[in-house]
Amino acid sequence: QWNRLVEYVNYYKDHIAFALHTGDYCGSSQLEYTDFYGECDRCERPIYNCVGNHDTEEDESWRKGTPKQASKESTYKKLFGHPDDWGEVCYMEGEFSMTYYIDREESGVRIVVLDCYYDIEAQQAWLRDVLADAKKCGLHVLTAVHEITDYIVAPVETTFHTANDYLPIIGVDKKNPFEDIIADFIDDGGIHICNL
């Protein structure tokens, strides 16, 4: 699948500036890690990562209901320790940060990638500042975070699962910790394109 993504991006490289992988780079845990950047076909555009829940699992103990979260350093090295130079990425301060934004000034868009597994409170403060700055700069915002989102208030018929399908199963307390901050940004006149 990774090579299919790379083939697609490389074929349309004159029209695609980058790709964004929104999580679960590892299989069911870090035990199933493969270095796609080093072992698969080379992409001619950056492929950015977003941390997924399985990327943060040390081993398979989560299957028994006793999950062991991997260290932030281990997760960072697996998802961000590849040879590609992402260039224009602006990381949140802190050790092994996997929270960042990219400004696509030619499009007037700021892409903000969040991490639902480490440093939540620090990210919330950072996100408020990053959104305020985007509004000041006249940038529209697109956010990306793995899996956790709120209910879709105006659902449409789709061929894929949405939050409405699984939130009743996992429980609404799993709400994205950044939703209210994004809502405040919108209420204050900021333009939020979507959350991936």
Side-chain angles (χ1 to χ4, degrees):
Q1 288 179 350
W2 186 267
N3 282 345
R4 287 178 61 203
L5 167 68
V6 168
E7 180 183 8
Y8 182 89
V9 171
N10 287 346
Y11 185 83
Y12 291 104
K13 67 184 175 194
D14 293 339
H15 308 284
I16 295 176
F18 63 91
L20 177 62
H21 183 274
T22 56
D24 284 349
Y25 183 93
C26 297
S28 62
S29 73
Q30 288 189 3
L31 292 177
E32 294 185 7
Y33 167 77
T34 298
D35 178 14
F36 295 125
Y37 291 95
E39 297 178 26
C40 294
D41 294 344
R42 180 115 178 112
C43 194
E44 296 179 41
R45 297 288 180 258
I47 301 176
Y48 301 111
N49 276 332
C50 181
V51 181
N53 58 315
H54 291 287
D55 302 326
T56 68
E57 296 293 340
E58 186 175 299
D59 56 30
E60 306 297 313
S61 57
W62 64 271
R63 293 182 189 276
K64 299 174 188 166
T66 55
K68 286 170 53 179
Q69 187 175 40
S71 73
K72 188 177 174 190
E73 178 180 6
S74 170
T75 304
Y76 174 88
K77 286 180 176 176
K78 286 178 171 38
L79 273 68
F80 293 82
H82 51 77
D84 288 3
D85 179 12
W86 287 4
E88 69 274 11
V89 171
C90 299
Y91 287 96
M92 180 182 88
E93 286 187 19
E95 200 170 28
F96 308 116
S97 177
M98 292 172 275
T99 303
Y100 58 93
Y101 72 86
I102 310 158
D103 285 344
R104 306 304 297 186
E105 292 178 15
E106 70 282 1
S107 303
V109 173
R110 174 169 288 177
I111 301 153
V112 181
V113 177
L114 300 161
D115 165 7
C116 271
Y117 309 98
Y118 305 96
D119 304 325
I120 300 299
E121 288 181 12
Q123 286 182 84
Q124 289 172 325
W126 176 86
L127 179 60
R128 282 188 187 90
D129 292 341
V130 166
L131 293 178
D133 181 65
K135 183 174 177 251
K136 181 177 150 193
C137 295
L139 297 170
H140 295 53
V141 175
L142 182 152
T143 53
V145 64
H146 179 75
E147 187 178 349
I148 304 170
T149 189
D150 207 347
Y151 282 100
I152 298 168
V153 292
V156 294
E157 290 298 317
T158 63
T159 57
F160 54 87
H161 291 290
T162 68
N164 294 18
D165 298 321
Y166 69 84
L167 277 177
I169 298 166
I170 65 170
V172 247
D173 60 324
K174 299 287 185 184
K175 184 176 178 177
N176 179 323
F178 310 111
E179 296 261 352
D180 292 339
I181 297 166
I182 294 167
D184 290 344
F185 169 69
I186 294 167
D187 290 344
D188 193 38
I191 299 175
H192 184 250
I193 299 168
C194 69
N195 183 53
L196 301 175

